[in-house]
PDB file of all heavy atoms in Angstrom:
ATOM      1  N   TYR A 146      26.470 -12.832   9.245  1.00 97.00           N
ATOM      2  CA  TYR A 146      27.929 -12.861   9.107  1.00 97.00           C
ATOM      3  C   TYR A 146      28.517 -14.098   9.789  1.00 97.00           C
ATOM      4  O   TYR A 146      29.330 -14.815   9.199  1.00 97.00           O
ATOM      5  CB  TYR A 146      28.541 -11.595   9.705  1.00 97.00           C
ATOM      6  CG  TYR A 146      30.049 -11.614   9.702  1.00 97.00           C
ATOM      7  CD1 TYR A 146      30.770 -11.386   8.535  1.00 97.00           C
ATOM      8  CD2 TYR A 146      30.757 -11.887  10.873  1.00 97.00           C
ATOM      9  CE1 TYR A 146      32.156 -11.421   8.528  1.00 97.00           C
ATOM     10  CE2 TYR A 146      32.146 -11.918  10.880  1.00 97.00           C
ATOM     11  CZ  TYR A 146      32.836 -11.684   9.704  1.00 97.00           C
ATOM     12  OH  TYR A 146      34.209 -11.731   9.698  1.00 97.00           O
ATOM     13  N   PHE A 147      28.104 -14.373  11.019  1.00 96.00           N
ATOM     14  CA  PHE A 147      28.672 -15.507  11.745  1.00 96.00           C
ATOM     15  C   PHE A 147      28.246 -16.840  11.122  1.00 96.00           C
ATOM     16  O   PHE A 147      29.018 -17.806  11.136  1.00 96.00           O
ATOM     17  CB  PHE A 147      28.292 -15.442  13.216  1.00 96.00           C
ATOM     18  CG  PHE A 147      29.007 -14.358  13.974  1.00 96.00           C
ATOM     19  CD1 PHE A 147      28.301 -13.403  14.678  1.00 96.00           C
ATOM     20  CD2 PHE A 147      30.386 -14.291  13.958  1.00 96.00           C
ATOM     21  CE1 PHE A 147      28.957 -12.397  15.368  1.00 96.00           C
ATOM     22  CE2 PHE A 147      31.065 -13.287  14.640  1.00 96.00           C
ATOM     23  CZ  PHE A 147      30.341 -12.336  15.352  1.00 96.00           C
ATOM     24  N   ASP A 148      27.047 -16.886  10.553  1.00 95.00           N
ATOM     25  CA  ASP A 148      26.628 -18.098   9.841  1.00 95.00           C
ATOM     26  C   ASP A 148      27.553 -18.370   8.655  1.00 95.00           C
ATOM     27  O   ASP A 148      27.894 -19.525   8.366  1.00 95.00           O
ATOM     28  CB  ASP A 148      25.185 -17.967   9.353  1.00 95.00           C
ATOM     29  CG  ASP A 148      24.170 -18.097  10.481  1.00 95.00           C
ATOM     30  OD1 ASP A 148      24.557 -18.558  11.571  1.00 95.00           O
ATOM     31  OD2 ASP A 148      23.000 -17.729  10.272  1.00 95.00           O
ATOM     32  N   GLU A 149      27.951 -17.306   7.975  1.00 95.00           N
ATOM     33  CA  GLU A 149      28.833 -17.459   6.809  1.00 95.00           C
ATOM     34  C   GLU A 149      30.239 -17.908   7.209  1.00 95.00           C
ATOM     35  O   GLU A 149      30.964 -18.483   6.394  1.00 95.00           O
ATOM     36  CB  GLU A 149      28.911 -16.131   6.055  1.00 95.00           C
ATOM     37  CG  GLU A 149      27.611 -15.727   5.370  1.00 95.00           C
ATOM     38  CD  GLU A 149      27.669 -14.326   4.805  1.00 95.00           C
ATOM     39  OE1 GLU A 149      28.665 -13.599   5.106  1.00 95.00           O
ATOM     40  OE2 GLU A 149      26.739 -13.931   4.081  1.00 95.00           O
ATOM     41  N   GLN A 150      30.615 -17.651   8.467  1.00 93.00           N
ATOM     42  CA  GLN A 150      31.967 -18.020   8.915  1.00 93.00           C
ATOM     43  C   GLN A 150      32.089 -19.503   9.268  1.00 93.00           C
ATOM     44  O   GLN A 150      33.202 -20.007   9.436  1.00 93.00           O
ATOM     45  CB  GLN A 150      32.368 -17.168  10.122  1.00 93.00           C
ATOM     46  CG  GLN A 150      32.359 -15.669   9.862  1.00 93.00           C
ATOM     47  CD  GLN A 150      33.156 -15.275   8.632  1.00 93.00           C
ATOM     48  OE1 GLN A 150      34.352 -15.574   8.536  1.00 93.00           O
ATOM     49  NE2 GLN A 150      32.496 -14.597   7.694  1.00 93.00           N
ATOM     50  N   LEU A 151      30.966 -20.184   9.396  1.00 89.00           N
ATOM     51  CA  LEU A 151      30.951 -21.630   9.685  1.00 89.00           C
ATOM     52  C   LEU A 151      31.776 -21.963  10.931  1.00 89.00           C
ATOM     53  O   LEU A 151      32.637 -22.856  10.926  1.00 89.00           O
ATOM     54  CB  LEU A 151      31.477 -22.422   8.475  1.00 89.00           C
ATOM     55  CG  LEU A 151      30.719 -22.219   7.153  1.00 89.00           C
ATOM     56  CD1 LEU A 151      31.401 -22.987   6.032  1.00 89.00           C
ATOM     57  CD2 LEU A 151      29.264 -22.645   7.298  1.00 89.00           C
ATOM     58  N   LEU A 152      31.514 -21.241  12.010  1.00 89.00           N
ATOM     59  CA  LEU A 152      32.233 -21.482  13.255  1.00 89.00           C
ATOM     60  C   LEU A 152      31.801 -22.803  13.874  1.00 89.00           C
ATOM     61  O   LEU A 152      30.683 -23.292  13.651  1.00 89.00           O
ATOM     62  CB  LEU A 152      31.977 -20.338  14.239  1.00 89.00           C
ATOM     63  CG  LEU A 152      32.339 -18.931  13.748  1.00 89.00           C
ATOM     64  CD1 LEU A 152      32.085 -17.907  14.848  1.00 89.00           C
ATOM     65  CD2 LEU A 152      33.788 -18.865  13.305  1.00 89.00           C
ATOM     66  N   THR A 153      32.685 -23.379  14.665  1.00 88.00           N
ATOM     67  CA  THR A 153      32.374 -24.668  15.303  1.00 88.00           C
ATOM     68  C   THR A 153      31.240 -24.534  16.313  1.00 88.00           C
ATOM     69  O   THR A 153      30.502 -25.487  16.551  1.00 88.00           O
ATOM     70  CB  THR A 153      33.621 -25.214  16.017  1.00 88.00           C
ATOM     71  OG1 THR A 153      34.103 -24.234  16.950  1.00 88.00           O
ATOM     72  CG2 THR A 153      34.725 -25.523  15.001  1.00 88.00           C
ATOM     73  N   ASP A 154      31.104 -23.359  16.902  1.00 94.00           N
ATOM     74  CA  ASP A 154      30.029 -23.099  17.855  1.00 94.00           C
ATOM     75  C   ASP A 154      29.554 -21.667  17.640  1.00 94.00           C
ATOM     76  O   ASP A 154      30.331 -20.723  17.800  1.00 94.00           O
ATOM     77  CB  ASP A 154      30.526 -23.296  19.295  1.00 94.00           C
ATOM     78  CG  ASP A 154      29.396 -23.249  20.312  1.00 94.00           C
ATOM     79  OD1 ASP A 154      28.222 -23.161  19.897  1.00 94.00           O
ATOM     80  OD2 ASP A 154      29.689 -23.290  21.520  1.00 94.00           O
TER      81      ASP A 154
END
Side-chain angles (χ1 to χ4, degrees):
Y146 175 76
F147 288 125
D148 286 345
E149 292 172 351
Q150 301 308 303
L151 302 176
L152 303 182
T153 56
D154 189 5

